[in-house]
Amino acid sequence: MSESLFDVPGAHADPEPGADAMIRRDPGAPLAVRMRPRTLDEVIGQQHLLGPGSPLRRLVEGSGAASVLLYGPPGTGKTTLASLLSQATGRRFEALSALSAGVKEVRAVIDLARRRLSAGEQTVLFIDEIHRFSKTQQDALLAAVENRIVLLVGATTENPSFSVVSPLLSRSLVLQLQSLTPEDIRAVLERAVTDERGLAGAVTVADDALDHIVRIAGGDARRALTALEASAESADDGTVDLELVEAAVDKAAVRYDRAGDQHYDVISAFIKSIRGSDVDAAVHYLARMLAAGEDPRFIARRLMIHASEDIGMADPTALQTATAAAQVVQLVGLPECKLALAQATIHLATAPKSGAVTSAIGKAMTDVSAGKAGAVPPYLRDGHYAGAARLGNAQGYKFPHDARDGVVTQQYPPDELVGTDYYEPTDHGYEREVGPRVTRLRRIVRGR
């Protein structure tokens, strides 16, 4: 769950003047809260969204009139930007959390905003975790957003394309925040060490300790500041070294949401790494999914699909390996089945690749969809019922096993598809051998 300044009792009311500053000055507030930027100039990162004249900058400065959805990983500044919006001149600010607000609260804010608008005041409505709003809750916002009764600012860690209803999505600008770079995270940490709102120079942090915090933060400023704060609290002599940081921070949390876009992004990267024959990247993404608690059955299904989709006859044993791994998942389970999944991943990543199977069935399905599905030749039809012979079915069929090579000249497809080639073997792996055989078989079967 993303942290918000506004997830506190009374958050639905307008913040009192100076309330934000008081939170930052509170020495008991978390370091990440105390160090939240007070102006756009203090924001580190997201420069692709904060250039002169950009919709987000205009909105923060009080001149923009577009509703926005801020989409990005945790710790990248979504709540910070919402906090800065509360200071935009000429506007009133309302905040709701999708974890606690219902349709009733949404309508109450809209009614209040409508009354303010009649008095010439614009209301900015910030909704944290908007992806957790139900369809009914999101639908309740549509008219108010469309008529600009409120300027909506929604924050979400999940891709809005999957989590926000289409009508609301089409009425808002979707602005994607990026994970902070290592340089950005280091700048955030260095500021926190010296700034009066932060540690005010009370501790000295070794370079290798800073490097370690940057590394485990994974682009998340909040995580970096939390790690720094935990380390500083353990520094009895005022020095934070690498050993202290390692003791204070167990491990880097894996950013992965099985119900959100990270789920789709990581499995996509996993499959594309296998397709691209990068075995090390493929194993990395496998480990990432397993560490995050992904269902191993889902991974096994994707491996079986990939074995035919991108390898196929270039290595017919790939499908056997993937299927065997799926059986191990079912019969053994975690944690041991991770070995079988790793073996299958390595096999598929290092196997020769071919899309010929995918292409063949794709072209055939296209022809069928286009109506190219003529009558089955009579001699190929079923003859296992009384009266079949009188209809001419199964008469004149040439039995391939009676031929010396087990192949006979005979028309198998409907008339309009005679001579159509669907399967086009590559020269990769086993298809290098099967290709010439396919050519010979077609020549015999088609009587060329």
Side-chain angles (χ1 to χ4, degrees), residues 295-305 322 325-327 329 341:
D295 187 343
R297 295 172 299 178
F298 169 75
I299 301 172
R301 288 194 296 270
R302 293 303 308 171
L303 287 170
M304 288 189 287
I305 293 168
Q327 287 183 303
V329 169
L341 290 173

Side-chain angles (χ1 to χ4, degrees), residues 90-323:
R91 289 180 178 153
R92 303 296 292 273
F93 190 84
E94 295 289 340
L96 297 176
S97 170
L99 294 175
S100 57
V103 173
K104 179 181 178 181
E105 287 77 10
V106 171
R107 289 175 176 165
V109 170
I110 292 173
D111 288 342
L112 179 60
R114 187 178 289 109
R115 293 195 297 272
R116 285 177 179 162
L117 191 61
S118 64
E121 286 186 315
Q122 178 77 60
T123 298
V124 173
L125 172 58
F126 172 64
I127 300 180
D128 197 21
E129 305 260 10
I130 193 171
H131 60 274
R132 297 183 184 273
F133 258 9
S134 67
K135 182 180 182 298
T136 301
Q137 290 169 303
Q138 293 185 33
D139 286 343
L141 293 166
L142 291 178
V145 171
E146 185 170 27
N147 297 320
R148 290 187 177 171
I149 294 171
V150 298
L151 291 183
L152 172 67
V153 179
T156 175
T157 56
E158 296 191 7
N159 191 330
S161 298
F162 300 116
S163 57
V164 176
V165 295
S166 296
L168 189 57
L169 194 63
S170 67
R171 290 165 172 80
S172 307
L173 290 175
V174 177
L175 303 178
Q176 183 172 6
L177 282 69
Q178 305 293 340
S179 293
L180 300 186
T181 66
E183 292 75 18
D184 291 337
I185 295 294
R186 192 176 186 91
V188 168
L189 293 171
E190 290 174 345
R191 177 189 291 174
V193 170
T194 59
D195 197 285
E196 289 298 322
R197 293 173 295 154
L199 302 179
V203 298
T204 301
V205 185
D207 284 343
D208 56 355
L210 271 181
D211 290 340
H212 184 65
I213 295 176
V214 169
R215 187 164 53 251
I216 65 174
D220 184 332
R222 186 184 300 108
R223 183 185 300 162
L225 290 170
T226 299
L228 173 62
E229 185 173 30
S231 302
E233 289 173 350
S234 303
D236 295 332
D237 61 354
T239 301
V240 174
D241 57 18
L242 177 59
E243 183 178 358
L244 185 63
V245 172
E246 289 178 334
V249 183
D250 289 334
K251 64 176 181 179
V254 178
R255 180 184 298 147
Y256 189 88
D257 184 347
R258 287 176 54 189
D261 62 297
Q262 282 292 315
H263 164 87
Y264 298 102
D265 288 346
V266 174
I267 193 63
S268 175
F270 176 60
I271 292 302
K272 288 172 181 173
S273 297
I274 295 176
R275 182 182 297 133
S277 300
D278 190 329
V279 61
D280 303 296
V283 172
H284 162 77
Y285 288 119
L286 172 64
R288 192 159 160 178
M289 289 187 288
L290 291 172
E294 181 61 82
D295 187 343
R297 295 172 299 178
F298 169 75
I299 301 172
R301 288 194 296 270
R302 293 303 308 171
L303 287 170
M304 288 189 287
I305 293 168
H306 179 71
S308 294
E309 181 180 24
D310 290 305
I311 297 172
M313 291 299 294
D315 181 359
T317 65
L319 181 57
Q320 298 172 13
T321 300
T323 303

